[in-house]
Amino acid sequence: MDLQLSGRVAVVTGASKGIGLAVARTLAEEGAHVVAASRTASAEWPGKVVHVAVDLMDPQAPAEVVARAVEEFGGLDILVNNAGGPPPGVTLPRAGFMTPDDADWGAMFEFNLFSLVRMIRAAVPIMVERGGGSIVNVSSTIARQPGAINVDYGAAKAAVNQVGKAVAEEFGPQGVRVNTVTPGPVLTDWWTKDGGAAEVFAGMVGSDRDSVITEVAPTMMKLTTGRLIHPQEVADAIVLLASPRSGSTTGADFAVDGGSLKEL
């Protein structure tokens, strides 16, 4: 299926690994001009990807990224707000409402919500000037399943969902579509790295890292598929929503969650 992405200009945040890397690579393979925003570069990007080295905790960074896309390619058609998760230097999961303090809450919202708001704020005028565009925000199932784990992260992602709906409603008549993709647990280095989520969970439940990844987490999170999600599976949904082939889809939330969300 031709996704009609050839020649379109896309910005992907958090593009150096995991879901963001898969999105950047897939967009480039589909013929899009890709601007990858991340603190570090990736050797796995196709050669034509343009890297902007930024820390999205810096309030000036989003405007810098969008300006680079305009400078390199003349505009912006697609924005994938993928950057999120633990702020730099933070390890998740974090158990209990009382655990994060004010600074933890502030950093979590700065990285997961405010950077996204600033990216949208920078992108929308350019898209409107070009007659439209597509924004895809990456959320999390924890936004829809509140609990005692990662409360601050879940609250930030719930706010992301609300912002996406609001922007879709306001700017849809001007041709800007905004959708959300909600992944469940994705097999990235958030889970697999030394000291990552798998090791933290293993310490909580008296297991080991590999068992958490293959058995404990899928069971605990009620994954119907019985396994963590591959980044490419999420990327494929994001790229389809970014494509003009999804031209009548806006304000929607697509779960790529292994079946963990059971409610209607």
Side-chain angles (χ1 to χ4, degrees):
M1 179 171 65
D2 179 9
L3 294 179
Q4 302 172 10
L5 291 170
S6 182
R8 296 183 184 268
V9 183
V11 163
V12 183
T13 68
S16 64
K17 56 189 176 181
I19 295 170
L21 172 59
V23 171
R25 195 163 46 206
T26 303
L27 285 168
E29 289 169 354
E30 291 292 328
H33 301 299
V34 178
V35 175
S38 59
R39 290 189 298 275
T40 59
S42 171
E44 298 182 56
W45 288 328
K48 59 185 177 179
V49 169
V50 173
H51 180 222
V52 183
V54 290
D55 182 350
L56 291 175
M57 299 284 277
D58 176 0
Q60 306 305 315
E64 178 185 341
V65 174
V66 171
R68 182 67 180 279
V70 173
E71 177 187 342
E72 292 281 344
F73 302 114
L76 180 62
D77 304 298
I78 296 163
L79 169 62
V80 178
N81 280 312
N82 168 72
V90 174
T91 297
L92 297 181
R94 188 157 52 192
F97 172 76
M98 302 297 289
T99 301
D101 60 18
D102 283 4
D104 295 324
W105 277 87
M108 190 65 72
F109 270 68
E110 188 70 42
F111 189 45
N112 286 276
L113 177 64
F114 299 149
S115 67
L116 174 145
V117 168
R118 294 179 187 120
M119 286 298 314
I120 294 174
R121 191 185 292 147
V124 162
I126 308 300
M127 291 181 173
V128 168
E129 184 179 345
R130 283 166 74 85
S134 175
I135 299 171
V136 184
N137 299 324
V138 179
S139 185
S140 169
T141 52
I142 197 172
R144 292 162 57 180
Q145 290 181 321
I149 301 291
N150 300 335
V151 177
D152 49 344
Y153 175 63
K157 286 300 192 182
V160 165
N161 294 3
Q162 200 278 343
V163 167
K165 290 273 191 182
V167 178
E169 180 66 17
E170 180 174 357
F171 292 99
Q174 294 167 271
V176 178
R177 297 185 298 109
V178 187
N179 291 290
T180 300
V181 169
T182 295
V186 181
L187 190 59
T188 64
D189 75 336
W190 181 357
W191 283 88
T192 60
K193 68 183 179 182
D194 291 342
E199 289 190 3
V200 175
F201 271 122
M204 290 179 177
V205 301
S207 184
D208 62 84
R209 171 190 168 281
D210 290 343
S211 295
V212 165
I213 291 173
T214 60
E215 299 172 23
V216 176
T219 299
M220 181 175 62
M221 297 181 177
K222 300 179 180 179
L223 303 184
T224 305
T225 57
R227 62 169 176 82
L228 300 190
I229 299 152
H230 298 305
Q232 188 64 50
E233 294 171 323
V234 184
D236 288 344
I238 291 170
V239 173
L240 178 59
L241 287 171
S243 162
R245 299 297 291 263
S246 297
S248 289
T249 303
T250 192
D253 183 352
F254 284 76
V256 185
D257 65 341
S260 63
L261 293 171
K262 310 297 183 184
E263 71 274 11
L264 295 175

mmCIF file with all atom_site columns, all heavy atoms in Angstrom, residues 217-240:
data_model
loop_
_atom_site.group_PDB
_atom_site.id
_atom_site.type_symbol
_atom_site.label_atom_id
_atom_site.label_alt_id
_atom_site.label_comp_id
_atom_site.label_asym_id
_atom_site.label_entity_id
_atom_site.label_seq_id
_atom_site.pdbx_PDB_ins_code
_atom_site.Cartn_x
_atom_site.Cartn_y
_atom_site.Cartn_z
_atom_site.occupancy
_atom_site.B_iso_or_equiv
_atom_site.pdbx_formal_charge
_atom_site.auth_seq_id
_atom_site.auth_comp_id
_atom_site.auth_asym_id
_atom_site.auth_atom_id
_atom_site.pdbx_PDB_model_num
ATOM 1   N N   . ALA A 1 217 ? 5.939  -9.726  33.528 1.00 0.00 ? 217 ALA A N   1
ATOM 2   C CA  . ALA A 1 217 ? 5.292  -8.509  33.030 1.00 0.00 ? 217 ALA A CA  1
ATOM 3   C C   . ALA A 1 217 ? 4.086  -8.813  32.144 1.00 0.00 ? 217 ALA A C   1
ATOM 4   O O   . ALA A 1 217 ? 3.024  -8.204  32.335 1.00 0.00 ? 217 ALA A O   1
ATOM 5   C CB  . ALA A 1 217 ? 6.298  -7.631  32.298 1.00 0.00 ? 217 ALA A CB  1
ATOM 6   N N   . PRO A 1 218 ? 4.183  -9.726  31.169 1.00 0.00 ? 218 PRO A N   1
ATOM 7   C CA  . PRO A 1 218 ? 2.996  -10.023 30.365 1.00 0.00 ? 218 PRO A CA  1
ATOM 8   C C   . PRO A 1 218 ? 1.817  -10.521 31.193 1.00 0.00 ? 218 PRO A C   1
ATOM 9   O O   . PRO A 1 218 ? 0.661  -10.179 30.905 1.00 0.00 ? 218 PRO A O   1
ATOM 10  C CB  . PRO A 1 218 ? 3.488  -11.106 29.393 1.00 0.00 ? 218 PRO A CB  1
ATOM 11  C CG  . PRO A 1 218 ? 4.949  -10.841 29.265 1.00 0.00 ? 218 PRO A CG  1
ATOM 12  C CD  . PRO A 1 218 ? 5.381  -10.408 30.635 1.00 0.00 ? 218 PRO A CD  1
ATOM 13  N N   . THR A 1 219 ? 2.105  -11.302 32.237 1.00 0.00 ? 219 THR A N   1
ATOM 14  C CA  . THR A 1 219 ? 1.019  -11.796 33.099 1.00 0.00 ? 219 THR A CA  1
ATOM 15  C C   . THR A 1 219 ? 0.466  -10.677 33.964 1.00 0.00 ? 219 THR A C   1
ATOM 16  O O   . THR A 1 219 ? -0.766 -10.488 34.059 1.00 0.00 ? 219 THR A O   1
ATOM 17  C CB  . THR A 1 219 ? 1.528  -12.940 33.982 1.00 0.00 ? 219 THR A CB  1
ATOM 18  O OG1 . THR A 1 219 ? 1.979  -14.006 33.150 1.00 0.00 ? 219 THR A OG1 1
ATOM 19  C CG2 . THR A 1 219 ? 0.432  -13.449 34.900 1.00 0.00 ? 219 THR A CG2 1
ATOM 20  N N   . MET A 1 220 ? 1.333  -9.932  34.608 1.00 0.00 ? 220 MET A N   1
ATOM 21  C CA  . MET A 1 220 ? 0.918  -8.860  35.508 1.00 0.00 ? 220 MET A CA  1
ATOM 22  C C   . MET A 1 220 ? 0.112  -7.797  34.765 1.00 0.00 ? 220 MET A C   1
ATOM 23  O O   . MET A 1 220 ? -0.851 -7.244  35.298 1.00 0.00 ? 220 MET A O   1
ATOM 24  C CB  . MET A 1 220 ? 2.151  -8.236  36.154 1.00 0.00 ? 220 MET A CB  1
ATOM 25  C CG  . MET A 1 220 ? 1.864  -7.118  37.120 1.00 0.00 ? 220 MET A CG  1
ATOM 26  S SD  . MET A 1 220 ? 3.369  -6.544  37.946 1.00 0.00 ? 220 MET A SD  1
ATOM 27  C CE  . MET A 1 220 ? 4.325  -5.949  36.546 1.00 0.00 ? 220 MET A CE  1
ATOM 28  N N   . MET A 1 221 ? 0.508  -7.517  33.518 1.00 0.00 ? 221 MET A N   1
ATOM 29  C CA  . MET A 1 221 ? -0.158 -6.481  32.736 1.00 0.00 ? 221 MET A CA  1
ATOM 30  C C   . MET A 1 221 ? -1.295 -7.026  31.883 1.00 0.00 ? 221 MET A C   1
ATOM 31  O O   . MET A 1 221 ? -1.873 -6.305  31.072 1.00 0.00 ? 221 MET A O   1
ATOM 32  C CB  . MET A 1 221 ? 0.863  -5.754  31.874 1.00 0.00 ? 221 MET A CB  1
ATOM 33  C CG  . MET A 1 221 ? 1.908  -5.030  32.709 1.00 0.00 ? 221 MET A CG  1
ATOM 34  S SD  . MET A 1 221 ? 3.122  -4.143  31.686 1.00 0.00 ? 221 MET A SD  1
ATOM 35  C CE  . MET A 1 221 ? 4.103  -3.367  32.969 1.00 0.00 ? 221 MET A CE  1
ATOM 36  N N   . LYS A 1 222 ? -1.590 -8.294  32.046 1.00 0.00 ? 222 LYS A N   1
ATOM 37  C CA  . LYS A 1 222 ? -2.738 -8.932  31.384 1.00 0.00 ? 222 LYS A CA  1
ATOM 38  C C   . LYS A 1 222 ? -2.689 -8.784  29.866 1.00 0.00 ? 222 LYS A C   1
ATOM 39  O O   . LYS A 1 222 ? -3.682 -8.430  29.208 1.00 0.00 ? 222 LYS A O   1
ATOM 40  C CB  . LYS A 1 222 ? -4.049 -8.370  31.932 1.00 0.00 ? 222 LYS A CB  1
ATOM 41  C CG  . LYS A 1 222 ? -4.215 -8.596  33.438 1.00 0.00 ? 222 LYS A CG  1
ATOM 42  C CD  . LYS A 1 222 ? -5.518 -8.014  33.968 1.00 0.00 ? 222 LYS A CD  1
ATOM 43  C CE  . LYS A 1 222 ? -5.654 -8.249  35.463 1.00 0.00 ? 222 LYS A CE  1
ATOM 44  N NZ  . LYS A 1 222 ? -6.894 -7.665  36.010 1.00 0.00 ? 222 LYS A NZ  1
ATOM 45  N N   . LEU A 1 223 ? -1.500 -9.067  29.302 1.00 0.00 ? 223 LEU A N   1
ATOM 46  C CA  . LEU A 1 223 ? -1.337 -8.980  27.862 1.00 0.00 ? 223 LEU A CA  1
ATOM 47  C C   . LEU A 1 223 ? -1.924 -10.224 27.207 1.00 0.00 ? 223 LEU A C   1
ATOM 48  O O   . LEU A 1 223 ? -1.421 -11.332 27.397 1.00 0.00 ? 223 LEU A O   1
ATOM 49  C CB  . LEU A 1 223 ? 0.137  -8.831  27.499 1.00 0.00 ? 223 LEU A CB  1
ATOM 50  C CG  . LEU A 1 223 ? 0.876  -7.643  28.116 1.00 0.00 ? 223 LEU A CG  1
ATOM 51  C CD1 . LEU A 1 223 ? 2.300  -7.579  27.581 1.00 0.00 ? 223 LEU A CD1 1
ATOM 52  C CD2 . LEU A 1 223 ? 0.152  -6.332  27.855 1.00 0.00 ? 223 LEU A CD2 1
ATOM 53  N N   . THR A 1 224 ? -2.957 -10.046 26.430 1.00 0.00 ? 224 THR A N   1
ATOM 54  C CA  . THR A 1 224 ? -3.605 -11.174 25.764 1.00 0.00 ? 224 THR A CA  1
ATOM 55  C C   . THR A 1 224 ? -2.638 -11.907 24.846 1.00 0.00 ? 224 THR A C   1
ATOM 56  O O   . THR A 1 224 ? -2.697 -13.132 24.697 1.00 0.00 ? 224 THR A O   1
ATOM 57  C CB  . THR A 1 224 ? -4.811 -10.674 24.953 1.00 0.00 ? 224 THR A CB  1
ATOM 58  O OG1 . THR A 1 224 ? -5.678 -9.944  25.819 1.00 0.00 ? 224 THR A OG1 1
ATOM 59  C CG2 . THR A 1 224 ? -5.579 -11.842 24.341 1.00 0.00 ? 224 THR A CG2 1
ATOM 60  N N   . THR A 1 225 ? -1.729 -11.162 24.239 1.00 0.00 ? 225 THR A N   1
ATOM 61  C CA  . THR A 1 225 ? -0.759 -11.759 23.326 1.00 0.00 ? 225 THR A CA  1
ATOM 62  C C   . THR A 1 225 ? 0.321  -12.545 24.052 1.00 0.00 ? 225 THR A C   1
ATOM 63  O O   . THR A 1 225 ? 1.050  -13.323 23.418 1.00 0.00 ? 225 THR A O   1
ATOM 64  C CB  . THR A 1 225 ? -0.075 -10.669 22.486 1.00 0.00 ? 225 THR A CB  1
ATOM 65  O OG1 . THR A 1 225 ? 0.536  -9.725  23.371 1.00 0.00 ? 225 THR A OG1 1
ATOM 66  C CG2 . THR A 1 225 ? -1.079 -9.957  21.593 1.00 0.00 ? 225 THR A CG2 1
ATOM 67  N N   . GLY A 1 226 ? 0.477  -12.313 25.352 1.00 0.00 ? 226 GLY A N   1
ATOM 68  C CA  . GLY A 1 226 ? 1.454  -13.052 26.135 1.00 0.00 ? 226 GLY A CA  1
ATOM 69  C C   . GLY A 1 226 ? 2.888  -12.596 25.980 1.00 0.00 ? 226 GLY A C   1
ATOM 70  O O   . GLY A 1 226 ? 3.813  -13.279 26.417 1.00 0.00 ? 226 GLY A O   1
ATOM 71  N N   . ARG A 1 227 ? 3.104  -11.420 25.388 1.00 0.00 ? 227 ARG A N   1
ATOM 72  C CA  . ARG A 1 227 ? 4.475  -10.930 25.196 1.00 0.00 ? 227 ARG A CA  1
ATOM 73  C C   . ARG A 1 227 ? 4.473  -9.410  25.141 1.00 0.00 ? 227 ARG A C   1
ATOM 74  O O   . ARG A 1 227 ? 3.431  -8.783  24.885 1.00 0.00 ? 227 ARG A O   1
ATOM 75  C CB  . ARG A 1 227 ? 5.073  -11.468 23.898 1.00 0.00 ? 227 ARG A CB  1
ATOM 76  C CG  . ARG A 1 227 ? 4.333  -11.029 22.637 1.00 0.00 ? 227 ARG A CG  1
ATOM 77  C CD  . ARG A 1 227 ? 5.101  -11.356 21.367 1.00 0.00 ? 227 ARG A CD  1
ATOM 78  N NE  . ARG A 1 227 ? 4.360  -11.030 20.167 1.00 0.00 ? 227 ARG A NE  1
ATOM 79  C CZ  . ARG A 1 227 ? 4.285  -9.813  19.623 1.00 0.00 ? 227 ARG A CZ  1
ATOM 80  N NH1 . ARG A 1 227 ? 4.918  -8.800  20.184 1.00 0.00 ? 227 ARG A NH1 1
ATOM 81  N NH2 . ARG A 1 227 ? 3.597  -9.606  18.507 1.00 0.00 ? 227 ARG A NH2 1
ATOM 82  N N   . LEU A 1 228 ? 5.660  -8.824  25.394 1.00 0.00 ? 228 LEU A N   1
ATOM 83  C CA  . LEU A 1 228 ? 5.810  -7.392  25.214 1.00 0.00 ? 228 LEU A CA  1
ATOM 84  C C   . LEU A 1 228 ? 5.738  -7.038  23.728 1.00 0.00 ? 228 LEU A C   1
ATOM 85  O O   . LEU A 1 228 ? 5.909  -7.888  22.856 1.00 0.00 ? 228 LEU A O   1
ATOM 86  C CB  . LEU A 1 228 ? 7.137  -6.918  25.813 1.00 0.00 ? 228 LEU A CB  1
ATOM 87  C CG  . LEU A 1 228 ? 7.359  -7.161  27.311 1.00 0.00 ? 228 LEU A CG  1
ATOM 88  C CD1 . LEU A 1 228 ? 8.610  -6.425  27.782 1.00 0.00 ? 228 LEU A CD1 1
ATOM 89  C CD2 . LEU A 1 228 ? 6.170  -6.754  28.148 1.00 0.00 ? 228 LEU A CD2 1
ATOM 90  N N   . ILE A 1 229 ? 5.491  -5.788  23.465 1.00 0.00 ? 229 ILE A N   1
ATOM 91  C CA  . ILE A 1 229 ? 5.232  -5.304  22.106 1.00 0.00 ? 229 ILE A CA  1
ATOM 92  C C   . ILE A 1 229 ? 6.545  -4.911  21.437 1.00 0.00 ? 229 ILE A C   1
ATOM 93  O O   . ILE A 1 229 ? 7.440  -4.365  22.082 1.00 0.00 ? 229 ILE A O   1
ATOM 94  C CB  . ILE A 1 229 ? 4.281  -4.087  22.176 1.00 0.00 ? 229 ILE A CB  1
ATOM 95  C CG1 . ILE A 1 229 ? 2.959  -4.506  22.816 1.00 0.00 ? 229 ILE A CG1 1
ATOM 96  C CG2 . ILE A 1 229 ? 4.047  -3.469  20.809 1.00 0.00 ? 229 ILE A CG2 1
ATOM 97  C CD1 . ILE A 1 229 ? 2.252  -3.387  23.543 1.00 0.00 ? 229 ILE A CD1 1
ATOM 98  N N   . HIS A 1 230 ? 6.667  -5.186  20.152 1.00 0.00 ? 230 HIS A N   1
ATOM 99  C CA  . HIS A 1 230 ? 7.853  -4.785  19.402 1.00 0.00 ? 230 HIS A CA  1
ATOM 100 C C   . HIS A 1 230 ? 7.704  -3.325  18.950 1.00 0.00 ? 230 HIS A C   1
ATOM 101 O O   . HIS A 1 230 ? 6.621  -2.909  18.517 1.00 0.00 ? 230 HIS A O   1
ATOM 102 C CB  . HIS A 1 230 ? 8.046  -5.681  18.181 1.00 0.00 ? 230 HIS A CB  1
ATOM 103 C CG  . HIS A 1 230 ? 8.269  -7.117  18.511 1.00 0.00 ? 230 HIS A CG  1
ATOM 104 N ND1 . HIS A 1 230 ? 9.266  -7.535  19.360 1.00 0.00 ? 230 HIS A ND1 1
ATOM 105 C CD2 . HIS A 1 230 ? 7.611  -8.244  18.124 1.00 0.00 ? 230 HIS A CD2 1
ATOM 106 C CE1 . HIS A 1 230 ? 9.230  -8.852  19.480 1.00 0.00 ? 230 HIS A CE1 1
ATOM 107 N NE2 . HIS A 1 230 ? 8.232  -9.304  18.743 1.00 0.00 ? 230 HIS A NE2 1
ATOM 108 N N   . PRO A 1 231 ? 8.767  -2.534  19.017 1.00 0.00 ? 231 PRO A N   1
ATOM 109 C CA  . PRO A 1 231 ? 8.668  -1.131  18.599 1.00 0.00 ? 231 PRO A CA  1
ATOM 110 C C   . PRO A 1 231 ? 8.106  -0.938  17.199 1.00 0.00 ? 231 PRO A C   1
ATOM 111 O O   . PRO A 1 231 ? 7.341  0.003   16.961 1.00 0.00 ? 231 PRO A O   1
ATOM 112 C CB  . PRO A 1 231 ? 10.122 -0.647  18.686 1.00 0.00 ? 231 PRO A CB  1
ATOM 113 C CG  . PRO A 1 231 ? 10.757 -1.510  19.724 1.00 0.00 ? 231 PRO A CG  1
ATOM 114 C CD  . PRO A 1 231 ? 10.109 -2.858  19.552 1.00 0.00 ? 231 PRO A CD  1
ATOM 115 N N   . GLN A 1 232 ? 8.443  -1.824  16.260 1.00 0.00 ? 232 GLN A N   1
ATOM 116 C CA  . GLN A 1 232 ? 7.960  -1.661  14.899 1.00 0.00 ? 232 GLN A CA  1
ATOM 117 C C   . GLN A 1 232 ? 6.445  -1.779  14.821 1.00 0.00 ? 232 GLN A C   1
ATOM 118 O O   . GLN A 1 232 ? 5.808  -1.135  13.968 1.00 0.00 ? 232 GLN A O   1
ATOM 119 C CB  . GLN A 1 232 ? 8.614  -2.691  13.975 1.00 0.00 ? 232 GLN A CB  1
ATOM 120 C CG  . GLN A 1 232 ? 8.313  -2.460  12.499 1.00 0.00 ? 232 GLN A CG  1
ATOM 121 C CD  . GLN A 1 232 ? 8.881  -1.146  11.988 1.00 0.00 ? 232 GLN A CD  1
ATOM 122 O OE1 . GLN A 1 232 ? 10.054 -0.846  12.184 1.00 0.00 ? 232 GLN A OE1 1
ATOM 123 N NE2 . GLN A 1 232 ? 8.052  -0.331  11.333 1.00 0.00 ? 232 GLN A NE2 1
ATOM 124 N N   . GLU A 1 233 ? 5.847  -2.566  15.714 1.00 0.00 ? 233 GLU A N   1
ATOM 125 C CA  . GLU A 1 233 ? 4.390  -2.713  15.706 1.00 0.00 ? 233 GLU A CA  1
ATOM 126 C C   . GLU A 1 233 ? 3.713  -1.396  16.063 1.00 0.00 ? 233 GLU A C   1
ATOM 127 O O   . GLU A 1 233 ? 2.631  -1.082  15.535 1.00 0.00 ? 233 GLU A O   1
ATOM 128 C CB  . GLU A 1 233 ? 3.984  -3.823  16.674 1.00 0.00 ? 233 GLU A CB  1
ATOM 129 C CG  . GLU A 1 233 ? 4.465  -5.190  16.234 1.00 0.00 ? 233 GLU A CG  1
ATOM 130 C CD  . GLU A 1 233 ? 4.266  -6.279  17.276 1.00 0.00 ? 233 GLU A CD  1
ATOM 131 O OE1 . GLU A 1 233 ? 4.431  -6.010  18.482 1.00 0.00 ? 233 GLU A OE1 1
ATOM 132 O OE2 . GLU A 1 233 ? 3.947  -7.422  16.878 1.00 0.00 ? 233 GLU A OE2 1
ATOM 133 N N   . VAL A 1 234 ? 4.309  -0.638  16.944 1.00 0.00 ? 234 VAL A N   1
ATOM 134 C CA  . VAL A 1 234 ? 3.780  0.682   17.289 1.00 0.00 ? 234 VAL A CA  1
ATOM 135 C C   . VAL A 1 234 ? 4.073  1.671   16.162 1.00 0.00 ? 234 VAL A C   1
ATOM 136 O O   . VAL A 1 234 ? 3.217  2.466   15.783 1.00 0.00 ? 234 VAL A O   1
ATOM 137 C CB  . VAL A 1 234 ? 4.377  1.177   18.618 1.00 0.00 ? 234 VAL A CB  1
ATOM 138 C CG1 . VAL A 1 234 ? 3.746  2.508   19.015 1.00 0.00 ? 234 VAL A CG1 1
ATOM 139 C CG2 . VAL A 1 234 ? 4.190  0.148   19.723 1.00 0.00 ? 234 VAL A CG2 1
ATOM 140 N N   . ALA A 1 235 ? 5.283  1.600   15.626 1.00 0.00 ? 235 ALA A N   1
ATOM 141 C CA  . ALA A 1 235 ? 5.672  2.509   14.547 1.00 0.00 ? 235 ALA A CA  1
ATOM 142 C C   . ALA A 1 235 ? 4.751  2.372   13.348 1.00 0.00 ? 235 ALA A C   1
ATOM 143 O O   . ALA A 1 235 ? 4.408  3.376   12.698 1.00 0.00 ? 235 ALA A O   1
ATOM 144 C CB  . ALA A 1 235 ? 7.119  2.251   14.142 1.00 0.00 ? 235 ALA A CB  1
ATOM 145 N N   . ASP A 1 236 ? 4.349  1.162   13.017 1.00 0.00 ? 236 ASP A N   1
ATOM 146 C CA  . ASP A 1 236 ? 3.484  0.964   11.854 1.00 0.00 ? 236 ASP A CA  1
ATOM 147 C C   . ASP A 1 236 ? 2.153  1.694   12.025 1.00 0.00 ? 236 ASP A C   1
ATOM 148 O O   . ASP A 1 236 ? 1.632  2.297   11.079 1.00 0.00 ? 236 ASP A O   1
ATOM 149 C CB  . ASP A 1 236 ? 3.243  -0.526  11.624 1.00 0.00 ? 236 ASP A CB  1
ATOM 150 C CG  . ASP A 1 236 ? 4.470  -1.249  11.094 1.00 0.00 ? 236 ASP A CG  1
ATOM 151 O OD1 . ASP A 1 236 ? 5.404  -0.573  10.610 1.00 0.00 ? 236 ASP A OD1 1
ATOM 152 O OD2 . ASP A 1 236 ? 4.514  -2.493  11.182 1.00 0.00 ? 236 ASP A OD2 1
ATOM 153 N N   . ALA A 1 237 ? 1.593  1.653   13.240 1.00 0.00 ? 237 ALA A N   1
ATOM 154 C CA  . ALA A 1 237 ? 0.340  2.371   13.496 1.00 0.00 ? 237 ALA A CA  1
ATOM 155 C C   . ALA A 1 237 ? 0.548  3.875   13.398 1.00 0.00 ? 237 ALA A C   1
ATOM 156 O O   . ALA A 1 237 ? -0.287 4.598   12.839 1.00 0.00 ? 237 ALA A O   1
ATOM 157 C CB  . ALA A 1 237 ? -0.199 2.000   14.875 1.00 0.00 ? 237 ALA A CB  1
ATOM 158 N N   . ILE A 1 238 ? 1.653  4.364   13.933 1.00 0.00 ? 238 ILE A N   1
ATOM 159 C CA  . ILE A 1 238 ? 1.949  5.797   13.893 1.00 0.00 ? 238 ILE A CA  1
ATOM 160 C C   . ILE A 1 238 ? 2.083  6.280   12.452 1.00 0.00 ? 238 ILE A C   1
ATOM 161 O O   . ILE A 1 238 ? 1.509  7.313   12.070 1.00 0.00 ? 238 ILE A O   1
ATOM 162 C CB  . ILE A 1 238 ? 3.236  6.088   14.686 1.00 0.00 ? 238 ILE A CB  1
ATOM 163 C CG1 . ILE A 1 238 ? 2.996  5.869   16.185 1.00 0.00 ? 238 ILE A CG1 1
ATOM 164 C CG2 . ILE A 1 238 ? 3.725  7.523   14.425 1.00 0.00 ? 238 ILE A CG2 1
ATOM 165 C CD1 . ILE A 1 238 ? 4.258  5.898   17.023 1.00 0.00 ? 238 ILE A CD1 1
ATOM 166 N N   . VAL A 1 239 ? 2.833  5.556   11.647 1.00 0.00 ? 239 VAL A N   1
ATOM 167 C CA  . VAL A 1 239 ? 3.077  5.986   10.269 1.00 0.00 ? 239 VAL A CA  1
ATOM 168 C C   . VAL A 1 239 ? 1.790  5.954   9.452  1.00 0.00 ? 239 VAL A C   1
ATOM 169 O O   . VAL A 1 239 ? 1.550  6.844   8.616  1.00 0.00 ? 239 VAL A O   1
ATOM 170 C CB  . VAL A 1 239 ? 4.181  5.128   9.632  1.00 0.00 ? 239 VAL A CB  1
ATOM 171 C CG1 . VAL A 1 239 ? 4.331  5.432   8.154  1.00 0.00 ? 239 VAL A CG1 1
ATOM 172 C CG2 . VAL A 1 239 ? 5.513  5.370   10.354 1.00 0.00 ? 239 VAL A CG2 1
ATOM 173 N N   . LEU A 1 240 ? 0.941  4.977   9.679  1.00 0.00 ? 240 LEU A N   1
ATOM 174 C CA  . LEU A 1 240 ? -0.344 4.949   8.980  1.00 0.00 ? 240 LEU A CA  1
ATOM 175 C C   . LEU A 1 240 ? -1.183 6.168   9.349  1.00 0.00 ? 240 LEU A C   1
ATOM 176 O O   . LEU A 1 240 ? -1.792 6.801   8.478  1.00 0.00 ? 240 LEU A O   1
ATOM 177 C CB  . LEU A 1 240 ? -1.107 3.664   9.308  1.00 0.00 ? 240 LEU A CB  1
ATOM 178 C CG  . LEU A 1 240 ? -2.494 3.532   8.663  1.00 0.00 ? 240 LEU A CG  1
ATOM 179 C CD1 . LEU A 1 240 ? -2.404 3.585   7.142  1.00 0.00 ? 240 LEU A CD1 1
ATOM 180 C CD2 . LEU A 1 240 ? -3.172 2.242   9.119  1.00 0.00 ? 240 LEU A CD2 1
#
